[in-house]
């Protein structure tokens, strides 16, 4: 955790909550009980304002008003897993499945490079079709053609050997959201064959291999409690990730949670500020889910401490089929082609888009 003199001053001036927030801003080592007490302050407007201002100050201290853009390429919606909340789970017979060829993926990168993107994110379900040989070939060709670009993978749980091969081929970063750090809650959201222990071990393995590592969780997922969120924050503190991706849970109509209430935008913003304060140098996206829940959700995310946006570079004809949750935004101003539209939205909250790789700070 971090502490700044400015943060203490803000706290004193606002008098916004007493001991627990002051202790948090001083960077004290919080227990789960402490984090729960902090999260209970979410309904206090003064606390929300105080934490938001501190998060914004820290983001500006380390990143200025820069917003990094990542070109997202959703290259397959096949998945061997059956996560109960996910629209592209293997058990959903209504998904129109697709896979991009190596040539199509490279074409997405070419389009993105011309648009100014210097980070590409290959995201997909856990699709066995893309074995190590295929992935290594794709990674090498992207890195050979665009040596000044960073390459992020988001393709799920793999063996240490697979992660090593991808790293040696040139992959720079890896996103693997843990979704929840509580074992019982994880079991509620995932089938028996999936394991929270394995998910966490994958993240530690990725760190060991030298990746810039991203974890994260859903906000407001079914039966989530403040204790669960506290465990998420403690796990992130232990992992010390370079990136953290959080977004509100949004139900999908072809899952067992179709009738569940969606997560809350304000809760997501509150947690973004907490994460920025805990990890001042972290790369923190204003996610697509946040933009789906609120037309200005990503702008609000930037004002809460986020500094990354991931527009979609996938072929237009496939974007609607990578439907993890209902009503996912995938066209218009959310798409990579509308760089000027996106730039105006970012500028409306006092930030500006930059086109460099935007690596994590150390």
């Amino acid at each position: 955790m971090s502490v700044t003199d400015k943060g203490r001053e803000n706290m004193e001036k606002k008098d916004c909550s007493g001991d627990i927030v002051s202790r948090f801003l001083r960077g004290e080592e919080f227990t789960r009980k402490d984090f729960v007490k902090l999260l209970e302050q979410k309904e206090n407007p003064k606390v929300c304002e105080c934490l938001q201002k501190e998060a914004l100050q820290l983001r500006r201290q380390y990143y200025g008003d820069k917003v990094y853009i990542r070109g997202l390429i959703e290259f397959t919606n096949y998945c061997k897993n059956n996560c109960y909340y996910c629209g592209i789970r293997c058990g959903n017979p209504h998904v129109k499945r697709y896979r991009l060829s190596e040539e199509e993926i490279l074409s997405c990168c070419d389009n993105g490079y011309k648009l100014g993107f210097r980070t590409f994110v290959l995201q997909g379900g856990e699709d066995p079709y893309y074995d190590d040989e295929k992935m290594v070939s794709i990674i090498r060709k992207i890195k050979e053609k665009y040596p000044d670009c960073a390459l992020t993978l988001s393709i799920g749980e793999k063996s240490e050997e697979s992660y090593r091969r991808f790293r040696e081929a040139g992959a720079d970063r890896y996103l693997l959201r843990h979704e929840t750090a509580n074992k019982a809650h994880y079991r509620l959201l995932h089938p028996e064959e999936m394991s929270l222990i394995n998910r966490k071990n994958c993240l530690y393995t990725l760190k060991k291999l030298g990746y810039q590592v991203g974890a994260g969780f859903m906000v407001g997922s079914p039966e989530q409690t403040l204790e669960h969120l506290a465990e998420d924050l403690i796990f992130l503190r232990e992992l010390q990730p370079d990136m953290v991706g959080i977004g509100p849970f949004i139900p999908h109509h072809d899952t067992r949670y179709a009738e569940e209430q969606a997560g809350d935008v304000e809760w997501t913003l509150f947690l973004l500020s907490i994460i920025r304060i805990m990890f001042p140098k972290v790369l923190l996206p204003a996610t697509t889910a946040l933009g789906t829940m609120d037309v200005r959700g990503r702008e609000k995310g930037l004002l809460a401490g986020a500094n990354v946006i991931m527009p979609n570079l996938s072929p237009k004809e496939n974007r609607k089929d990578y439907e993890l949750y209902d009503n996912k935004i995938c066209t218009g101003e959310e798409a990579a082609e509308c760089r000027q539209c996106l730039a105006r939205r970012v500028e409306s909250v006092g930030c500006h888009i930059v086109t460099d790789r935007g690596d994590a700070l150390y």
Side-chain angles (χ1 to χ4, degrees):
M1 291 191 187
S2 74
V3 60
T4 66
D5 292 336
K6 188 173 180 62
R8 282 193 292 267
E9 290 169 8
N10 284 344
M11 190 70 233
E12 291 165 2
K13 288 177 182 177
K14 288 288 180 185
D15 187 26
C16 59
S17 156
D19 184 56
I20 194 67
V21 179
S22 298
R23 289 177 54 215
F24 177 63
L25 291 175
R26 286 198 298 269
E28 292 188 15
E29 190 82 354
F30 267 29
T31 64
R32 184 174 77 162
K33 187 176 180 180
D34 290 329
F35 274 121
V36 169
K37 287 182 178 178
L38 177 66
L39 294 170
E40 286 173 344
Q41 298 297 317
K42 190 266 173 185
E43 300 308 316
N44 183 332
K46 290 185 177 180
V47 170
C48 293
E49 180 184 1
C50 179
L51 295 182
Q52 180 190 15
K53 286 187 175 181
E54 174 67 0
L56 202 54
Q57 188 276 328
L58 286 169
R59 192 206 71 197
R60 287 171 175 161
Q61 178 180 338
Y62 290 100
Y63 291 101
D65 290 319
K66 296 177 180 177
V67 172
Y68 300 111
I69 52 173
R70 319 303 201 193
L72 181 63
I73 304 170
E74 297 164 333
F75 68 102
T76 174
N77 69 349
Y78 283 84
C79 189
K80 69 179 183 181
N81 295 329
N82 199 34
C83 303
Y84 299 142
Y85 51 83
C86 183
I88 65 169
R89 63 192 176 86
C90 64
N92 184 0
H94 305 297
V95 180
K96 180 183 176 183
R97 303 288 178 178
Y98 73 90
R99 292 184 176 110
L100 299 188
S101 67
E102 187 175 274
E103 292 72 24
E104 288 173 316
I105 293 171
L106 287 167
S107 176
C108 292
C109 292
D110 185 58
N111 179 44
Y113 195 86
K114 292 173 182 175
L115 289 167
F117 290 82
R118 294 300 178 264
T119 290
F120 303 122
V121 181
L122 294 185
Q123 179 173 294
E126 291 194 26
D127 184 353
Y129 172 81
Y130 294 94
D131 57 19
D132 287 3
E133 284 69 29
K134 287 188 177 69
M135 288 307 305
V136 165
S137 176
I138 291 167
I139 293 165
R140 282 180 175 160
K141 288 182 179 177
I142 292 174
K143 294 296 287 189
E144 287 169 3
K145 191 169 184 182
Y146 309 103
D148 56 330
C149 293
L151 179 60
T152 303
L153 302 180
S154 181
I155 52 176
E157 297 176 14
K158 306 290 181 182
S159 69
E160 181 171 348
E161 178 58 25
S162 295
Y163 288 146
R164 179 178 289 107
R165 291 186 66 184
F166 302 159
R167 181 79 178 114
E168 290 172 350
D172 302 284
R173 306 170 186 152
Y174 206 103
L175 303 178
L176 184 65
R177 298 210 317 186
H178 64 277
E179 301 301 2
T180 175
N182 178 274
K183 185 176 180 180
H185 192 222
Y186 188 91
R187 180 58 49 233
L188 182 75
L189 301 174
H190 300 87
E192 191 67 32
E193 60 270 18
M194 296 184 70
S195 160
L196 177 59
I197 292 175
N198 188 60
R199 179 63 61 109
K200 288 182 175 181
N201 285 340
C202 285
L203 285 161
Y204 285 114
T205 297
L206 288 161
K207 285 204 72 171
K208 181 179 72 174
L209 293 172
Y211 285 90
Q212 294 177 39
V213 174
F217 54 90
M218 293 181 288
V219 179
S221 56
E223 298 191 35
Q224 186 181 66
T225 66
L226 296 186
E227 286 76 12
H228 295 155
L229 290 171
E231 289 183 55
D232 286 318
L233 296 173
I234 289 171
F235 172 64
L236 290 175
R237 185 180 66 196
E238 293 169 353
L239 179 67
Q240 290 293 306
D242 305 288
M243 305 168 280
V244 177
I246 69 169
F249 163 77
I250 304 175
H252 187 281
H253 61 278
D254 280 326
T255 69
R256 64 171 60 179
Y257 296 125
E259 302 303 319
E260 290 286 331
Q261 183 176 346
D264 184 73
V265 169
E266 295 304 319
W267 260 108
T268 305
L269 299 174
F270 183 65
L271 285 159
L272 281 172
S273 293
I274 287 174
I275 291 168
R276 171 60 70 196
I277 294 167
M278 290 178 66
F279 310 103
K281 298 180 182 180
V282 79
L283 294 166
L284 191 59
T287 59
T288 302
L290 194 54
T292 297
M293 287 288 294
D294 185 318
V295 67
R296 286 186 57 80
R298 291 196 292 193
E299 290 93 324
K300 292 177 180 179
L302 297 175
L303 290 173
N307 67 329
V308 174
I309 291 180
M310 297 170 62
N312 205 322
L313 278 175
S314 308
K316 292 180 182 179
E317 62 268 24
N318 300 124
R319 292 175 189 172
K320 65 181 182 301
D321 298 318
Y322 198 86
E323 189 182 57
L324 305 180
Y325 45 81
D326 285 347
N327 304 313
K328 179 186 168 194
I329 51 176
C330 58
T331 58
E333 292 186 13
E334 319 312 324
E337 292 81 8
C338 195
R339 271 288 310 279
Q340 293 306 311
C341 305
L342 193 61
R344 286 195 295 270
R345 293 175 72 114
V346 168
E347 288 165 4
S348 75
V349 290
C351 300
H352 66 279
I353 288 174
V354 292
T355 57
D356 57 28
R357 285 168 46 116
D359 288 299
L361 299 176
Y362 296 99

